[in-house]
Amino acid sequence: MNSTPTASVAPAIPAALIGRLRKARSMAALTGAGISAESGVPTFRDAQTGMWAKFDPLELATPDAFRRNAKLVWDWYAWRRELVAQARPNAGHRALAAIEAANPNFLVITQNVDGLHQAAGSRNVVELHGNIRRVKCSRDGTIVATWDDSSPREAPRCAQCGAFLRPDVVWFEETLPDDALVRAEHAARDCDVLLVVGTAAEVYPAAMLPAYARHHGAAIVEINPNPTRLSDRVDYALRGPSGIVLPALAAAVWGDVPASP
Ligand code: OAD
């Protein structure tokens, strides 16, 4: 494994990786909360700053939690929706959008629910865990555009059937949207290089995608300031924040990549 020490300046990009990326027919990136950290969206598992250091996922991000206390769950997601609404894409998101502009055969597979890849200009995006900006009926999944959030006692209800509304995100114990998983698996099987950016790679099935891609011959490139449980099984580990490493990688491989919006 090639690796470079943790640094806030961009690590050197190995020549062999540059060659591999230039030759790649098809590429994908699996992204996690770390890519949005520099946009001010907290990660989940980082000690001190991660969401799960402050909140219990079993109380907030499971179907049981919602059945027990829909209002608590709704309010927590409403708070996060506000946070995300104020966040702007950072240089890491923009670099991935620029890579796609230079190589249309590039898919971003994200575990994030913040929509920041699309805001940065990425078009080929698969959202494995849904999108916090959308709200749906908890009974039949119909997406709703507006809701009445004025009750201090209960979560808003579906205007059609009266069931509680919920965020259109995947909770623990729920299955991922079929079409998203199929597209992600296909890209992992098909790509020559998989960038794994800002994820602790601890939540399945997303965490199996790097092993799957490697099994099918892809080079795996981890971009993360910290080692993860994946690090022993990657071909390259570029240590540093994605907002610094990804623009450096894009510039080293493609030179002046077109600016994204
Ligand atoms: P985690 O919080 O588990 O991991 C975030 C990763 O980002 C860690 O490995 C950090 O080292 C890394 N990181 C922090 N700052 C970074 C930066 N500036 N640049 C690059 N990397 C950085 O988040 P995920 O792996 O995305 O699921 O978590 C996966 C899933 O677990 C989430 O989608 C969510 C959560 O529970 C659901 O809610 C279903």
Side-chain angles (χ1 to χ4, degrees):
M1 183 185 81
N2 298 318
S3 66
T4 49
T6 303
S8 55
V9 292
I13 312 296
L17 173 59
I18 295 176
R20 190 121 187 209
L21 281 161
R22 283 194 184 138
K23 277 196 303 212
R25 210 179 18 86
S26 145
M27 288 181 292
L30 171 65
T31 68
I35 195 168
S36 295
E38 290 156 81
S39 295
V41 182
T43 61
F44 293 95
R45 289 176 188 75
D46 283 304
Q48 320 292 335
T49 56
M51 285 284 182
W52 299 152
K54 299 185 187 119
F55 302 102
D56 180 353
L58 295 179
E59 295 297 325
L60 296 165
T62 67
D64 262 356
F66 189 68
R67 271 190 291 274
R68 276 197 307 274
N69 192 340
K71 174 73 173 155
L72 178 77
V73 173
W74 173 269
D75 283 349
W76 189 67
Y77 278 94
W79 167 70
R80 283 182 58 206
R81 193 181 308 115
E82 279 301 304
L83 202 91
V84 159
Q86 282 155 31
R88 296 290 166 262
N90 64 55
H93 298 107
R94 288 195 296 273
L96 291 185
I99 293 174
E100 180 189 307
N103 298 272
N105 205 355
F106 178 63
L107 182 70
V108 173
I109 304 161
T110 190
Q111 299 165 85
N112 298 345
V113 296
D114 55 29
L116 290 177
H117 286 299
Q118 294 92 328
S122 287
R123 286 161 205 256
N124 296 332
V125 182
V126 166
E127 293 177 321
L128 290 177
H129 293 166
N131 191 309
I132 200 168
R133 297 170 197 242
R134 286 192 305 264
V135 167
K136 67 182 182 183
C137 171
S138 62
R139 184 168 296 156
D140 66 10
T142 305
I143 302 292
V144 304
T146 56
W147 53 89
D148 175 6
D149 204 355
S150 59
S151 166
R153 284 183 313 280
E154 61 171 30
R157 290 179 180 271
C158 173
Q160 301 306 316
C161 74
F164 287 129
L165 296 176
R166 57 163 283 182
D168 187 20
V169 298
V170 176
W171 285 329
F172 291 103
E173 298 159 23
E174 291 186 317
T175 54
L176 275 57
D178 264 354
D179 51 341
L181 192 56
V182 166
R183 260 186 96 193
E185 284 173 352
H186 182 269
R189 197 166 56 230
D190 196 47
C191 67
D192 298 319
V193 181
L194 178 69
L195 309 177
V196 182
V197 187
T199 177
E202 293 192 13
V203 172
Y204 288 81
M208 77 176 187
L209 292 170
Y212 194 53
R214 199 164 199 224
H215 178 73
H216 287 274
I220 310 300
V221 185
E222 178 172 72
I223 295 159
N224 196 313
N226 306 303
T228 68
R229 58 175 56 187
L230 192 71
S231 299
D232 288 343
R233 284 161 289 136
V234 303
D235 299 281
Y236 301 93
L238 303 178
R239 295 270 164 252
S242 45
I244 290 180
V245 177
L246 281 172
L249 181 71
V253 176
W254 294 282
D256 285 332
V257 285
S260 53

